Amino acid sequence: MSITAIAALKQNDTFTFNELFHEYHQKIYFLVLSKSKSSYIAEEATQLTFIKLWAYRHHLDESLPLSQQIFRIAKTTLIDVLRKDAVYSTMKQNLLTSSENLDGFANMDVKELNETIQEAVQKLPPVRRKVFELSRNHYLSHREISNHLSLSIKTIETHITLALKQLRHLMTWLAMLLIPFF
């Protein structure tokens, strides 16, 4: 039946596929269950095995027994499902850890955060720092800063853009310390 079943599958014969499903479903399920010890994973991997069998039916090798090919699909599918489950578990754990860290970040004293930002502003190059402080602390427009420092408006815009970029970099760095990546 193996060679004729492969040929039938390649001809899109759903009757043959249904016969194979009924013949191998339970065998694959219990094999995966014995390896994974999880009925959820066994059900998932078994269903995906038959989905893949149908999707890749035109690539089946007629020189190999069909049972061998079905169990190879089941094996690789189990590996994929276990890998996906492991990634999901890691992401779930990281989310829990992140939310704990975010709680700590939310409780961080606003005064401390402002001090950290001010320290970063003080580390800016002198002209950039002056432009940034006039813009953010004294609420001057770009034109007013330009007149006050005798610099072009374009130069003022460049300094503010670079200052914000540098401060964003600091904030990203702070966030990385507080929130682990997945």
Side-chain angles (χ1 to χ4, degrees):
M1 174 183 168
S2 197
I3 293 175
T4 57
I6 293 172
L9 284 174
K10 286 184 175 186
Q11 295 296 318
N12 304 324
D13 185 347
T14 56
F15 179 77
T16 301
F17 178 78
N18 285 334
E19 283 183 337
L20 291 169
F21 179 84
H22 291 294
E23 182 180 344
Y24 287 99
H25 182 274
Q26 196 171 22
K27 294 174 186 174
I28 292 172
Y29 175 84
F30 285 113
L31 174 70
V32 173
L33 181 63
S34 72
K35 300 287 184 194
S36 69
K37 309 291 189 242
S38 167
S39 59
Y40 169 77
I41 290 175
E43 289 172 19
E44 182 81 7
T46 302
Q47 288 299 320
L48 288 172
T49 296
F50 286 101
I51 290 169
K52 288 179 180 182
L53 175 64
W54 183 255
Y56 299 110
R57 66 190 177 277
H58 298 293
H59 301 286
L60 293 172
D61 188 346
E62 293 184 33
S63 66
L64 295 173
L66 183 57
S67 61
Q68 180 183 354
Q69 294 180 76
I70 290 174
F71 284 106
R72 183 182 305 143
I73 293 169
K75 178 183 173 186
T76 58
T77 301
L78 172 61
I79 292 168
D80 291 343
V81 170
L82 290 173
R83 197 174 286 143
K84 182 178 103 178
D85 189 55
V87 167
Y88 174 76
S89 296
T90 302
M91 286 177 64
K92 184 177 172 183
Q93 184 59 42
N94 284 341
L95 274 175
L96 292 173
T97 304
S98 294
S99 62
E100 291 168 6
N101 287 337
L102 284 175
D103 290 342
F105 184 69
N107 293 330
M108 182 182 209
D109 190 355
V110 174
K111 184 178 175 186
E112 287 178 64
L113 187 57
N114 281 334
E115 287 173 4
T116 304
I117 292 170
Q118 283 306 314
E119 287 174 22
V121 169
Q122 292 305 313
K123 292 179 182 175
L124 292 172
V127 175
R128 190 173 304 157
R129 181 179 67 237
K130 183 71 172 168
V131 168
F132 183 80
E133 288 174 341
L134 289 172
S135 171
R136 296 307 192 257
N137 297 344
H138 299 285
Y139 308 105
L140 298 180
S141 70
H142 292 186
R143 181 172 306 284
E144 292 170 324
I145 299 168
S146 171
N147 290 337
H148 187 267
L149 298 178
S150 301
L151 297 171
S152 73
I153 293 177
K154 190 70 175 165
T155 302
I156 301 302
E157 290 171 356
T158 301
H159 278 297
I160 290 175
T161 299
L162 292 172
L164 289 172
K165 185 177 182 180
Q166 193 170 341
L167 293 173
R168 260 189 234 113
H169 180 71
L170 168 73
M171 297 309 286
T172 303
W173 181 78
L174 272 173
M176 285 176 23
L177 289 176
L178 296 171
I179 305 168
F181 284 90
F182 298 132

